C-alpha cells in the first residue's frame, strides 16, 4: 500500500541553539518580525536573547507581542497588518503553539491576498508564506515542524485549522534550555498534548511506516520522561527528551494528521477554557478504549512503548492494557480524573457531539468512525 511521509522543516536541536537565530534569519532577509505572547518570553529572557542575536547579525527587528492563548482571527489579522507595515522578510514564532500558529497565519497573509478566514481548511493557501522560523518554549505542540495552524473563530465558537505545506516552518530551532523550569501544570498539559499527537498519528488512517517509528519512539520517551520532567523541573536531560519527543510527534501528525481526541477536545477548550493538552488528556483514555478494536496490534505496541509487559497476554488484552497505562500516567502527572472536575456540564455534551460528527476530516483520519451517539457516549464516559 502506498504511504506518504512529508517533513520539509530543517531542524536545529540542542542546548544553546537559540543563539543561532541571528545567522539563520539573515539567510532570509534584512527585517525580522518576532511573533510572541504577551509576557512569558519577555519574563524568561528568551525574547531579549532572540533580539540580541538578530541585531548582532545586523537585522532590523520588530516585535508583535500580543498573541493570546488559542489565537483568534482578530489577532492574526492585526499581526499581519503590523508585519506589512514593517515589511518583514522573515517571521519568527517564539513561544508555545499559540505564537507559532499565529506566526504561520501572519506569514501566509504577507504573500496571499484576502483574509485569514479564506484559508481555513486543507490546501487553500496558494503562495508560499513568508519564511517562518519556529522556536518552541514548551514541549508539546510540535507546531515547529507542522503545516498546521489552529485559529480560534470566537463568533462561530470553532477551532479552525489551516493545513498547508506552504506554512511549514523553514527552520525549527529547538533549544531545551528554553523549557527549563516550566511549571508542573504547563509541563503536564503540553507533554500530554505531544503524547496525543504521537498516539493519534500512529493509529491514523493516514499513518505511514516512517511516522510509525517516530510515533513509538515519541510515546516511549514521553511515558518515561514526563513524570520526571514534573518532579525535576530543572533537569536539562529530561527536558531535552520531552522537547525531542514533542518534535517527533509533530513530524508524525504533519503527515498522518490527528483524530477525534483533538476533534472532541477543542470544544472543552472553547466552552470551558481547558488548556488544549488538558482537554485532550481528559478524553484520551475513553477514545483509546473506543478506537482499539480497529487496530489492536497498534494499541498493543502502544502498551509496550509505555513500558508495560505484554508477554502471555492475548492481543486484545495487550491492546486494552494501553488504556490502563494511560490512566496511570495521567494520574501520575496530576491530570484530573474526569471532565466533571474542571466544571464540564453533561447537558453541553450532546451539542458538542453533533458538531464533532460533522468534522469529516478528523473522522476520516480516526481509526474507527464513530456515530454522533458514540461521540456523545465517549464524552459522557470521560466525565
Ligand atoms: Fe494538539
Amino acid at each position: 500500500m502506498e504511504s506518504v511521509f512529508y517533513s520539509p522543516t530543517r531542524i536545529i536541536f540542542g542546548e544553546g541553539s537559540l543563539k543561532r537565530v541571528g545567522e539563520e534569519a539573515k539567510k532570509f532577509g534584512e527585517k525580522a518580525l518576532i511573533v510572541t505572547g504577551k509576557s512569558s518570553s519577555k519574563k524568561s529572557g528568551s525574547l531579549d536573547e532572540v533580539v540580541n542575536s538578530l541585531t548582532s547579525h545586523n537585522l532590523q527587528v520588530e516585535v508583535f507581542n500580543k498573541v493570546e492563548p488559542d489565537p483568534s482571527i482578530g489577532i492574526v489579522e492585526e499581526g499581519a497588518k503590523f508585519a506589512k507595515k514593517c515589511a518583514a522578510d522573515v517571521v519568527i514564532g517564539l513561544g508555545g503553539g499559540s505564537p507559532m500558529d499565529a506566526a504561520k497565519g501572519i506569514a501566509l497573509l504577507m504573500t496571499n491576498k484576502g483574509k485569514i478566514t479564506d484559508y481555513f481548511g486543507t490546501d487553500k493557501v496558494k503562495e508560499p508564506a513568508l519564511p517562518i522560523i519556529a522556536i518552541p518554549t514548551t514541549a508539546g505542540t510540535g507546531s515547529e515542524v507542522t503545516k498546521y495552524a489552529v485559529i480560534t473563530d470566537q463568533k462561530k465558537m470553532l477551532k479552525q485549522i489551516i493545513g498547508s505545506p506552504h506554512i511549514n516552518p523553514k527552520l525549527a530551532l529547538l533549544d531545551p534550555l528554553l523549557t527549563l523550569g516550566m511549571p508542573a501544570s504547563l509541563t503536564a498539559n503540553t507533554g500530554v498534548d505531544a503524547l496525543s499527537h504521537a498516539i493519534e498519528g500512529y493509529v491514523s488512517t493516514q499513518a505511514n511506516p516512517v511516522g510509525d517509528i517516530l510515533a513509538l519512539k515519541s510515546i516511549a520517551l514521553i511515558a518515561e520522561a514526563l513524570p520526571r520532567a514534573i518532579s525535576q523541573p530543572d533537569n536539562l536531560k529530561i527536558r531535552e527528551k520531552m522537547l525531542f519527543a514533542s518534535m517527533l510527534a509533530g513530524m508524525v501528525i504533519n503527515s498522518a494528521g490527528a483524530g477525534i481526541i483533538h476533534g472532541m477536545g477543542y470544544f472543552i477548550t472553547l466552552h470551558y477554557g481547558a488548556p488544549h493538552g488538558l482537554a485532550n488528556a481528559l478524553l484520551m483514555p475513553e477514545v483509546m478504549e473506543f478506537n482499539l478494536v480497529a487496530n489492536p496490534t497498534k494499541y498493543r505496541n502502544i502498551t509496550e512503548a509505555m513500558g508495560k509487559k505484554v508477554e502471555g497476554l492475548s492481543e486484545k488484552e495487550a491492546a486494552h492494557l494501553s488504556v490502563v497505562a494511560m490512566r496511570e500516567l495521567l494520574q501520575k502527572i496530576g491530570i484530573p480524573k474526569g471532565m466533571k472536575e474542571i466544571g464540564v456540564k453533561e447537558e453541553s455534551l450532546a451539542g458538542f457531539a453533533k458538531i464533532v460528527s460533522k468534522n469529516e476530516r478528523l473522522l476520516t483520519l480516526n481509526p474507527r468512525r464513530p456515530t454522533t451517539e458514540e461521540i456523545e457516549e465517549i464524552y459522557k464516559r470521560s466525565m
Side-chain angles (χ1 to χ4, degrees):
M1 207 175 85
E2 188 184 277
S3 68
V4 178
F5 180 77
Y6 180 74
S7 190
T9 303
R10 185 164 159 256
I11 295 164
I12 301 179
F13 189 102
E15 185 188 338
S17 57
L18 185 66
K19 291 190 175 64
R20 292 278 295 275
V21 65
E23 65 174 285
E24 292 297 330
K26 189 77 186 171
K27 295 174 184 169
F28 299 116
E30 303 298 322
K31 287 186 187 171
L33 170 68
I34 302 171
V35 176
T36 190
K38 284 181 179 154
S39 61
S40 61
S41 64
K42 181 77 195 159
K43 262 190 220 153
S44 70
S46 60
L47 177 59
D48 287 343
E49 263 194 77
V50 172
V51 171
N52 290 341
S53 174
L54 293 168
T55 49
S56 71
H57 285 82
N58 301 318
L59 279 123
Q60 290 179 44
V61 185
E62 299 284 348
V63 179
F64 182 72
N65 63 348
K66 295 185 178 176
V67 182
E68 71 274 332
D70 306 304
S72 63
I73 294 171
I75 210 70
V76 173
E77 298 277 355
E78 190 185 330
K81 236 188 232 170
F82 183 73
K84 280 176 192 159
K85 209 173 89 189
C86 52
D89 298 313
V90 52
V91 179
I92 299 170
L94 171 69
S98 300
M100 287 191 282
D101 286 3
K104 290 173 180 177
I106 291 167
L108 93 79
L109 286 179
M110 291 292 283
T111 54
N112 290 269
K113 289 195 181 78
K115 304 186 292 287
I116 196 70
T117 49
D118 299 337
Y119 302 101
F120 289 166
T122 306
D123 293 330
K124 299 264 177 73
V125 183
K126 299 276 182 299
E127 300 295 330
L130 219 59
I132 299 160
I133 297 178
I135 307 175
T137 58
T138 61
T141 160
S143 180
E144 67 275 11
V145 291
T146 75
K147 61 180 179 183
Y148 304 112
V150 185
I151 310 294
T152 297
D153 185 337
Q154 284 162 331
K155 264 192 209 140
K156 291 188 184 163
M157 281 304 263
L158 287 173
K159 289 258 203 173
Q160 303 279 12
I161 314 286
I162 300 169
S164 164
H166 289 319
I167 60 168
N168 250 114
K170 288 271 181 265
L171 172 68
L173 257 184
L174 294 113
D175 187 339
L177 285 172
L178 298 178
T179 65
L180 269 191
M182 260 200 293
S185 65
L186 185 61
T187 302
N189 294 341
T190 51
V192 91
D193 182 29
L195 184 56
S196 73
H197 297 156
I199 290 180
E200 292 218 282
Y202 181 59
V203 301
S204 157
T205 55
Q206 297 287 313
N208 56 79
V210 181
D212 286 359
I213 294 167
L214 306 186
L216 286 176
K217 182 68 188 172
S218 177
I219 293 166
L221 281 170
I222 296 169
E224 189 257 332
L226 183 51
R228 292 165 66 213
I230 290 163
S231 60
Q232 305 168 47
D234 294 315
N235 186 323
L236 187 62
K237 279 279 156 260
I238 295 169
R239 293 293 186 183
E240 199 174 272
K241 280 186 185 179
M242 284 304 300
L243 189 61
F244 189 69
S246 72
M247 176 199 77
L248 293 181
M251 290 166 80
V252 173
I253 54 166
N254 197 45
S255 296
I260 60 168
I261 296 173
H262 275 76
M264 294 174 69
Y266 289 151
F267 292 92
I268 307 305
T269 298
L270 283 163
H271 292 263
Y272 294 101
H276 170 64
L278 172 62
N280 288 1
L282 292 165
L283 292 158
M284 195 139 55
E286 290 299 337
V287 172
M288 289 170 73
E289 185 85 62
F290 175 80
N291 278 345
L292 60 83
V293 293
N295 199 336
T297 309
K298 281 205 158 174
Y299 279 89
R300 173 194 165 280
N301 296 344
I302 292 171
T303 303
E304 276 198 298
M306 293 188 76
K308 292 270 183 208
K309 299 244 178 305
V310 297
E311 287 99 73
L313 299 179
S314 69
E315 188 161 71
K316 202 175 150 193
E317 287 166 338
H320 185 260
L321 196 54
S322 66
V323 184
V324 177
M326 182 59 69
R327 287 196 194 284
E328 283 175 10
L329 177 66
L330 296 178
Q331 197 189 357
K332 235 192 249 176
I333 62 170
I335 299 290
K337 276 212 172 67
M339 299 196 300
K340 238 184 229 156
E341 280 184 43
I342 62 157
V344 175
K345 299 267 180 293
E346 186 142 348
E347 53 269 28
S348 57
L349 301 177
F352 298 164
K354 242 188 220 162
I355 315 174
V356 175
S357 70
K358 292 190 183 105
N359 189 336
E360 199 47 42
R361 190 182 71 89
L362 290 184
L363 290 187
T364 311
L365 292 170
N366 201 64
R368 182 179 170 199
R369 197 182 170 90
T371 63
T372 310
E373 292 70 33
E374 283 167 336
I375 295 169
E376 191 181 341
E377 190 55 34
I378 296 169
Y379 269 131
K380 282 186 180 160
R381 285 169 174 270
S382 304
M383 287 293 279

